[in-house]
Amino acid sequence: MARRQKTQLELAFDTKGTGEARTSRAGGTEANAARADNESPAAREPSMERVVERDNLRKALAQVRRNKGAPGIDGMTVDALASHLKDHWPTIRSQLLIGAYRPQPVRRVEIPKASGGMRALGIPTVLDRFIQQAVLQVLQAQWDATFSDASFGFRPGRSAHKAVAKAQEHIASRYRIVVDMDLEKFFDRVNHDVLMGLVAKRATDKRLLRLIRSFLTAGALEGGLVAPMEQGTPQGGPLSPLLSNLMLDVLDKELEKRGHRFVRYADDCNIYVCSRRAGERVMSGVERFLEKRLKLKVNKTKSAVARPAERKFLGFSFTAEVSPRRRIAPETIARFKHRVRKTTRRTRGQSLVQIVKELSRYLNGWRGYFGFCETPSVLRKLDRWVRRRLRAITWKQWKHGTTRFAELMRRGVRKDLAAQSAGSPNGPWRMSNSPALAIALPNAYLRSLGLPSLEPGKPA
């Protein structure tokens, strides 16, 4: 399978076939660029020739395959992309090199936000995602090193955990007030002219500039109609995160110029100061800068000047101790419980094995991220709560007193305790904490079904 895919890649990006011979102008353009590449260091600046280099394209196709994702408006799947490129790549490549390629509109979809509400995504076609990825790889290689050390979102070698750890360092250094800034619908409000002006300062190839703008203005298909896009960088395409970092790098550089300690992850920016008065002054000054320089607005209902323990950053908060510890924000715990309650509803009609299988996927992902907290007692409490939910489901499913008595006896509960429990008038939640169910459905049994523990390093 791997060998067949590799062969497909070679065929897709083969520049020696008959299809390439018919586009001699494009081939000549690339040949001239290749000669220039050997002669001048400037040729390594972002250019369309670099975008269509074979190695860059192979990496882009592999990345699109890894990311998977839904089809765009043309219905083409990721699995069908290599075959499409094999048949059409010479023509597509020629269009890119002469600046004539035009992307298709994105497919507009909405997904629920973790914090409530809906988030609008724009899903490009698989072909456009592939081309965006190829452009991203060339631009990111040039631009990333110029971005601020305080920027952690969508960058190689950086992560949300590193952003949270950096915020913790600032707080530990006695910067005990945070200016928590939320940009109002940032990805939907990015000004195209401002953004393209920033791109043009870093890339001079007019074909590349035209292609990037065409991705921004391709429009969105919604309700059978294509709506124009006069602002914003649609979330869902590979290029959007890099373009958002380029836009907000202007803010980063201004904060550095003013000597502030801050951490930014995408459009989530926290600035750390020593007093509320300083925080209010910083909030006001940065708000004016964003509106004047980048034409962006601060969401005043979601932004605040407060103590870090009163705010959340990337799902985490911090204790109010001299040496602050990372803790899970209360809103995050509330969302976790809502999700678990939904999965473990007692009326779902699924077996305990099926419920645990579905639940374990969510718990493993959640633990992988929030296990970074430094308050393990919270994780232990959540573990106990999850197990109670599962025991309550089982008790509800056993339904009748005779069934409950028989199941308890079969699972090693003493006869008198089994009889007392089976005849109890208490509901499933009360019974889930009873000695009988702790014996009948011990932690080891739930672990054998595949239930993971939320504490890192523990299987259950």
Side-chain angles (χ1 to χ4, degrees):
M1 181 67 177
R3 182 176 296 175
R4 187 171 73 229
Q5 288 180 344
K6 184 176 181 181
T7 302
Q8 282 184 317
L9 292 183
E10 293 293 343
L11 289 171
F13 306 132
D14 184 12
T15 59
K16 298 178 182 179
T18 57
E20 187 64 23
R22 288 192 295 268
T23 57
S24 58
R25 179 182 298 180
T29 302
E30 187 171 35
N32 291 337
R35 286 193 291 272
D37 185 36
N38 293 330
E39 296 167 2
S40 171
R44 297 310 296 170
E45 293 180 1
S47 67
M48 195 63 77
E49 282 74 21
R50 291 193 61 196
V51 170
V52 299
E53 284 178 356
R54 183 181 295 185
D55 286 345
N56 187 56
L57 296 172
R58 275 202 290 258
K59 291 176 184 176
L61 183 53
Q63 186 61 48
V64 169
R65 279 174 162 164
R66 281 193 294 271
N67 292 343
K68 298 180 181 178
I73 64 170
D74 62 355
M76 185 190 298
T77 65
V78 171
D79 292 337
L81 178 59
S83 177
H84 180 81
L85 291 173
K86 178 183 175 182
D87 295 334
H88 301 285
W89 176 244
T91 301
I92 297 168
R93 178 178 176 276
S94 176
Q95 291 174 343
L96 289 168
L97 287 171
I98 64 175
Y101 182 85
R102 292 294 176 267
Q104 296 188 64
V106 299
R107 181 168 62 88
R108 182 72 75 191
V109 297
E110 290 189 339
I111 61 171
K113 289 183 180 180
S115 56
M118 302 297 288
R119 184 189 308 279
L121 296 183
I123 308 299
T125 64
V126 175
L127 175 60
D128 286 338
R129 291 210 297 272
F130 162 69
I131 294 173
Q132 282 195 39
Q133 181 65 36
V135 173
L136 167 68
Q137 291 165 181
V138 170
L139 297 183
Q140 191 162 55
Q142 288 282 337
W143 296 357
D144 190 74
T146 70
F147 290 155
S148 170
D149 285 340
S151 168
F152 290 85
F154 313 121
R155 296 182 61 191
R158 291 169 176 260
S159 66
H161 284 173
K162 291 182 179 180
V164 172
K166 190 64 179 180
Q168 186 178 13
E169 284 182 27
H170 292 323
I171 300 167
S173 299
R174 305 306 174 102
Y175 291 80
R176 296 304 178 95
I177 298 294
V178 61
V179 181
D180 184 1
M181 303 190 68
D182 182 275
L183 298 181
E184 190 173 276
K185 296 183 178 179
F186 168 72
F187 287 95
D188 297 330
R189 299 280 176 85
V190 167
N191 183 283
H192 289 172
D193 291 335
V194 173
L195 177 57
M196 288 308 302
L198 295 171
V199 175
K201 289 180 179 179
R202 294 169 179 254
T204 58
D205 189 320
K206 292 182 180 180
R207 298 163 301 173
L208 195 54
L209 296 175
R210 192 179 301 120
L211 178 64
I212 293 172
R213 184 177 278 275
S214 69
F215 279 125
L216 294 174
T217 60
L221 182 66
E222 190 173 11
L225 298 174
V226 176
M229 296 176 62
E230 298 175 354
Q231 61 181 4
T233 59
Q235 295 184 76
L239 259 181
S240 288
L242 179 65
L243 295 178
S244 70
N245 272 336
L246 177 64
M247 187 81 162
L248 292 177
D249 187 59
V250 177
L251 171 63
D252 297 342
K253 295 301 194 290
E254 180 66 18
L255 294 177
E256 289 175 348
K257 179 181 174 182
R258 298 182 186 187
H260 290 309
R261 297 194 177 205
F262 69 99
V263 179
R264 184 178 64 78
Y265 190 96
D267 59 337
D268 200 344
C269 183
N270 280 5
I271 307 167
Y272 295 89
V273 296
C274 295
S275 69
R276 287 186 182 272
R277 179 176 294 180
E280 297 291 351
R281 186 172 62 250
V282 169
M283 175 72 85
S284 178
V286 172
E287 187 175 352
R288 286 194 302 271
F289 174 81
L290 286 169
E291 290 187 9
K292 182 178 180 180
R293 178 68 179 84
L294 298 178
K295 302 187 186 304
L296 295 171
K297 289 186 177 182
V298 172
N299 188 330
K300 294 184 179 181
T301 61
K302 294 184 179 180
S303 303
V305 176
R307 295 191 178 278
E310 300 168 359
R311 305 296 293 177
K312 66 180 178 69
F313 181 53
L314 302 177
F316 291 91
S317 186
F318 303 92
T319 62
E321 302 161 327
V322 175
S323 297
R325 290 177 295 151
R326 299 183 296 272
R327 67 184 181 95
I328 303 171
E331 300 94 325
T332 302
I333 293 176
R335 287 198 297 271
F336 170 84
K337 288 191 171 184
H338 175 75
R339 174 66 180 271
V340 172
R341 285 191 184 100
K342 187 176 179 180
T343 306
T344 59
R345 289 194 311 272
R346 297 169 204 162
T347 56
R348 290 194 65 184
Q350 289 183 311
S351 69
L352 187 63
V353 172
Q354 291 173 314
I355 292 171
V356 169
K357 183 178 180 180
E358 180 181 343
L359 186 62
S360 65
R361 288 194 293 268
Y362 174 67
L363 295 181
N364 279 322
W366 197 89
R367 178 182 67 174
Y369 184 74
F370 290 104
F372 187 60
C373 77
E374 296 175 317
T375 50
S377 61
V378 175
L379 299 177
R380 284 194 291 272
K381 289 179 182 177
L382 290 176
D383 268 341
R384 289 196 292 270
W385 180 79
V386 169
R387 290 193 291 265
R388 278 195 70 179
R389 295 285 306 178
L390 295 174
R391 289 173 181 135
I393 287 175
T394 305
W395 190 251
K396 176 75 173 178
Q397 290 178 344
W398 287 344
K399 291 185 179 179
H400 306 295
T402 53
T403 304
R404 289 168 174 172
F405 176 76
E407 289 289 347
L408 291 175
M409 287 288 292
R410 186 171 68 84
R411 295 165 185 268
V413 179
R414 296 191 326 268
K415 185 176 182 179
D416 58 334
L417 181 57
Q420 180 185 351
S421 301
S424 173
N426 292 329
W429 183 245
R430 287 280 299 275
M431 290 303 298
S432 67
N433 205 32
S434 67
L437 279 182
I439 296 170
L441 302 171
N443 295 354
Y445 171 71
L446 296 177
R447 183 168 61 242
S448 72
L449 297 181
L451 181 70
S453 170
L454 294 176
E455 285 192 80
K458 289 191 175 183

